[in-house]
Amino acid sequence: MRAFRFGVVAAAGEGGARWRETARRAEELGYSTLLSPDNLHLPTPTASLATAAAVTTRLRVGSFVFASPLRTARAAAWEAHSLTTVTDGRFELGLGTGLPSMREQAEELGLPYGDGRERLDSISATIDHVRRLDGDAHTPVMLAAGGPRARRLAAEKADIVTLAGGPLATRDEFAAQVEEIRSHADGREIEIAMNIFVVGDHVPPWIRGFIGVDAETLIEHDSLTILRGSVDDMAAELERRRAELGVSYVSVNGSFLEEFAPLVERLSGT
């Protein structure tokens, strides 16, 4: 089994000073990676991640995730390779096809939203461009794989796959996703990742608005987007997910940076 590592998903929407402090604090707490979302209503991940890397020494930075409708494949690869260069190899390129809301944002940029196949083709081309630009370097690529075609592409070209399902997806559904990815990987080693939206028994209002369900519903359905209980309970749950699903790279919403830190301290590298 792969050793655990942990990331935190946060945005630089509250200004540079707060963002720099978030980066320093994530590194101090032992997180592996600071991950930045992609949205026209937030600072661009390229600027945010370069800033975070500049004020830290070990912390990796990553996009979570570059939405394919918001850039051409070549432009996305240009940004990715640039970040790999200026961070001395501490950048991880997360890619995804984007939420339906990205249609309006793509139109604002004068870019086509495209259908599902076209957006996946753009992701595939982005990876190819990055590999060419990198030369002897290697930018790790993480793919958010929500459907069968995305999982096949991830198995063929990604280094990391973050399991993508609705907040009420079952363990069996996630296990089937992992099996499907492994079956197409032809022996390639792929790191399996999962994002946690909620730590504890309370869902902040903005997260509830995003995922569309409350804490009671998440608990009733044994949702894997929530982690609760004592530190011992939560550590045991993460170890179960690694044993059953192969999940070793766990990211958490930035609202729970401090609450999740005891797990980072306990499990990182184990």
Side-chain angles (χ1 to χ4, degrees), residues 1-7 32-33 142 159-163 178 182 189-196 237-251 260 263-264 267-270:
M1 291 188 293
R2 281 181 178 263
F4 279 115
R5 69 182 182 118
F6 299 95
S32 167
T33 319
M142 176 175 69
D159 303 285
I160 309 158
V161 181
T162 184
L163 300 179
V178 173
R182 301 286 193 209
E189 288 207 13
I190 298 175
E191 188 174 28
I192 304 297
M194 177 177 286
N195 186 46
I196 293 175
E237 171 59 23
L238 291 180
E239 288 171 336
R240 176 187 177 188
R241 295 183 191 186
R242 181 171 63 175
E244 295 179 354
L245 304 174
V247 174
S248 60
Y249 183 13
V250 181
S251 57
F260 197 75
L263 293 161
V264 176
L267 294 177
S268 289
T270 65

Side-chain angles (χ1 to χ4, degrees), residues 3 9 31 36 51 63 90 99 184 208 260:
V9 182
Y31 285 90
S36 181
T51 298
S63 52
R90 286 192 280 148
L99 299 171
H184 293 306
R208 179 175 178 178
F260 197 75

Side-chain angles (χ1 to χ4, degrees), residues 144-169:
R149 290 199 298 268
R151 289 192 284 274
R152 181 180 288 273
L153 177 61
E156 293 172 352
K157 294 189 175 184
D159 303 285
I160 309 158
V161 181
T162 184
L163 300 179
L168 304 184

Side-chain angles (χ1 to χ4, degrees), residues 33-219:
T33 319
L34 177 60
L35 303 160
S36 181
D38 193 24
N39 190 303
L40 281 188
H41 304 300
L42 297 169
T44 171
T46 305
S48 301
L49 297 174
T51 298
V55 298
T56 56
T57 58
R58 302 178 308 280
L59 186 71
R60 301 185 65 78
V61 296
S63 52
F64 196 79
V65 292
F66 274 177
S68 62
L70 302 188
R71 295 165 189 80
T72 65
R74 182 61 177 84
W78 179 30
E79 293 187 33
H81 177 68
S82 297
L83 281 164
T84 293
T85 300
V86 301
T87 65
D88 295 321
R90 286 192 280 148
F91 173 66
E92 297 177 4
L93 171 59
L95 295 168
T97 55
L99 299 171
S101 61
M102 295 295 175
R103 183 182 297 275
E104 292 181 1
Q105 296 188 28
E107 290 175 356
E108 189 174 343
L109 290 169
L111 295 170
Y113 181 71
D115 60 26
R117 184 177 295 278
E118 289 169 333
R119 297 198 303 277
L120 276 178
D121 287 346
S122 179
I123 288 173
S124 180
T126 296
I127 298 171
D128 292 343
H129 284 307
V130 169
R131 296 295 178 239
R132 178 178 57 82
L133 292 171
D134 273 353
D136 293 334
H138 182 81
T139 301
V141 171
M142 176 175 69
L143 190 57
R149 290 199 298 268
R151 289 192 284 274
R152 181 180 288 273
L153 177 61
E156 293 172 352
K157 294 189 175 184
D159 303 285
I160 309 158
V161 181
T162 184
L163 300 179
L168 304 184
T170 67
R171 292 176 190 267
D172 286 345
E173 289 169 338
F174 277 120
Q177 287 187 26
V178 173
E179 179 60 30
E180 183 180 356
I181 292 163
R182 301 286 193 209
S183 70
H184 293 306
D186 195 26
R188 293 180 62 245
E189 288 207 13
I190 298 175
E191 188 174 28
I192 304 297
M194 177 177 286
N195 186 46
I196 293 175
F197 281 98
V198 181
V199 178
D201 295 314
H202 174 67
V203 180
W206 77 267
I207 294 180
R208 179 175 178 178
F210 184 75
I211 63 177
V213 291
D214 56 21
E216 292 75 14
T217 304
L218 293 175
I219 294 167

Side-chain angles (χ1 to χ4, degrees), residues 12-20:
E14 297 184 9
R18 181 68 177 272
W19 176 247
R20 291 190 293 273

